[in-house]
Amino acid sequence: MTAPSQAPTQACADDVVSIGDAAKATGVSTRALRYYEEMGLVRPAAHSPGGHRLYAPAQCARVRRIRQLQDLMGFNLAEISEILANEDRLDSLRDEFHRHEDPAHRLRIAEEALTVMSDLDARVEAKQKRLAEFRQAISERRRRAEVVAAELQQEAP
Amino acid sequence: MTAPSQAPTQACADDVVSIGDAAKATGVSTRALRYYEEMGLVRPAAHSPGGHRLYAPAQCARVRRIRQLQDLMGFNLAEISEILANEDRLDSLRDEFHRHEDPAHRLRIAEEALTVMSDLDARVEAKQKRLAEFRQAISERRRRAEVVAAELQQEAP
DNA sequence: GACGAATCTCACGCTTACGTAAACTATCAG
DNA sequence: CTGATAGTTTACGTAAGCGTGAGATTCGTC
């Protein structure tokens, strides 16, 4: 198993930053970082001997991803947790794929990846559909109003 | 001004129901109904002499609309409040439109309706756009995986 | 090694959207 | 008129997603 961004690896030792710098780099508060960790969303790449959290670029990217899913797409942390789990699974499947040569094995991996992506997609599709319907309803009323307005423009210019 | 679903009219006297029946009819709790009222989203059509809330079909429809915007589209009550205000405004513009014959006046009404609808649409468009981008990203990865899987199918059937 | 800044771990506070219990009152069947 | 049922207000409880100290440690710098 290899969930890259989430793995509790002892870090590449290099380019890890403190929680404060990670916060600045991602635009979230240190409190939020600790909260995400508590919720199992992002674990520091390592800890200093004294117990301070250390974040590698991968973790910062993960945090930015979390905010994206939150702010821009309106998922809650529970949903985000599942989505990230799926994405992590995809990454690990990629790794596994490249580590094996056997076509039959690769096929099984590719197929699992496809189901995971279907799951991800379905999750979003539902949300998107509602919005599309809503916009449809608005745009219909809008077109009718535009026709009326155009007619009135002719009548009383 | 005529905001149909929201007007504190003394009701059509007919077919108004108690809060309990309104709750059953809309699928929300009585607590939620009182909360929506407190937040200024839905006012009962009338009250019984003893002070009990009475809901007409229009209010029930409004409540269902609220849940739709909440559950299916992920708006919070503050946003919903604004959306409903816009929709109420559209309704009252419709009424006003039909009460006046003057083309110039009608044109002004139609134009305001158009701006209100633009506002409503813009609100949703942003949300929808994010979701579309997300799905796009997924479907690209998906297509690549499908190609790989197809190739492997050939190789090891 | 000392000192200020940054982190650490509790731990309580805040907002949203209600749930839930308490103590009364209104409505309706009989 | 009498319950039983349903409704009313008031008010505290809850889960999510952090904000904000408090008091103790640790880090980086001189």
Side-chain angles (χ1 to χ4, degrees):
Chain A
M1 49 167 172
T2 318
S5 314
Q6 184 68 351
T9 54
Q10 265 308 319
C12 322
D14 210 9
D15 65 3
V16 294
V17 297
S18 70
I19 192 172
D21 291 345
K24 282 169 195 159
T26 58
V28 313
S29 66
T30 60
R31 177 69 174 98
L33 288 176
R34 295 195 189 94
Y35 183 68
Y36 293 159
E37 182 181 349
E38 194 179 343
M39 295 294 104
L41 293 174
V42 192
R43 288 166 63 186
H47 288 86
S48 76
H52 285 196
R53 293 169 176 81
L54 296 172
Y55 296 86
Q59 279 74 49
C60 293
R62 194 180 176 83
V63 170
R64 275 188 289 268
R65 180 76 176 137
I66 293 172
R67 295 316 288 243
Q68 203 179 35
L69 293 170
Q70 258 193 313
D71 303 342
L72 306 182
M73 314 214 10
F75 289 112
N76 61 35
L77 293 189
E79 291 172 315
I80 292 174
S81 176
E82 293 174 28
I83 292 173
L84 289 182
N86 273 351
E87 293 183 348
D88 288 347
R89 181 63 184 152
L90 281 181
D91 286 341
S92 92
L93 283 173
R94 266 179 71 90
D95 284 7
E96 201 183 333
F97 186 94
H98 291 302
R99 281 201 314 277
H100 294 275
E101 295 286 318
D102 176 27
H105 191 190
R106 284 191 153 189
L107 180 57
R108 281 198 303 278
I109 294 172
E111 279 169 348
E112 187 186 335
L114 279 172
T115 56
V116 170
M117 286 189 261
S118 294
D119 189 286
L120 267 174
D121 189 46
R123 214 180 276 277
V124 186
E125 187 180 10
K127 284 205 175 197
Q128 199 199 18
K129 216 167 180 176
R130 310 300 180 181
L131 292 173
E133 283 166 13
F134 190 89
R135 288 198 68 191
Q136 186 92 28
I138 296 174
S139 74
E140 272 165 29
R141 293 189 68 169
R142 198 168 174 177
R143 234 162 299 164
R144 286 204 300 274
E146 271 162 1
V147 169
V148 170
E151 285 170 4
L152 289 167
Q153 285 279 9
Q154 298 290 336
E155 244 179 283
Chain B
M1 50 167 169
T2 317
S5 315
Q6 185 67 353
T9 55
Q10 264 307 319
C12 321
D14 211 7
D15 66 4
V16 294
V17 297
S18 70
I19 192 173
D21 291 347
K24 282 170 195 159
T26 58
V28 312
S29 65
T30 61
R31 177 67 174 99
L33 288 177
R34 295 196 188 94
Y35 183 69
Y36 294 159
E37 182 180 350
E38 195 180 342
M39 296 293 103
L41 293 175
V42 192
R43 288 165 64 185
H47 288 87
S48 76
H52 285 197
R53 294 169 175 81
L54 296 172
Y55 296 86
Q59 279 74 49
C60 293
R62 193 180 176 84
V63 170
R64 276 188 288 268
R65 179 78 176 137
I66 292 172
R67 296 315 288 244
Q68 202 176 36
L69 293 170
Q70 257 192 314
D71 302 342
L72 306 181
M73 315 213 10
F75 290 113
N76 61 34
L77 292 189
E79 291 172 313
I80 291 173
S81 177
E82 293 174 26
I83 292 173
L84 289 182
N86 273 352
E87 292 183 347
D88 288 347
R89 180 65 183 150
L90 282 181
D91 286 342
S92 92
L93 284 172
R94 265 179 72 89
D95 283 9
E96 201 182 333
F97 185 93
H98 291 305
R99 280 202 313 279
H100 295 276
E101 295 285 317
D102 176 26
H105 191 190
R106 284 191 155 189
L107 180 57
R108 282 199 301 278
I109 294 173
E111 279 168 347
E112 186 186 337
L114 279 174
T115 56
V116 171
M117 285 189 262
S118 294
D119 188 288
L120 267 174
D121 190 45
R123 212 181 276 279
V124 185
E125 188 180 11
K127 286 205 175 199
Q128 200 200 17
K129 217 168 181 175
R130 310 299 182 182
L131 292 173
E133 285 166 12
F134 190 89
R135 287 197 67 189
Q136 186 93 29
I138 295 174
S139 73
E140 273 166 28
R141 294 189 67 171
R142 200 169 173 176
R143 236 161 297 164
R144 286 203 300 273
E146 271 162 1
V147 170
V148 170
E151 285 170 4
L152 289 167
Q153 285 278 8
Q154 298 289 335
E155 244 179 281

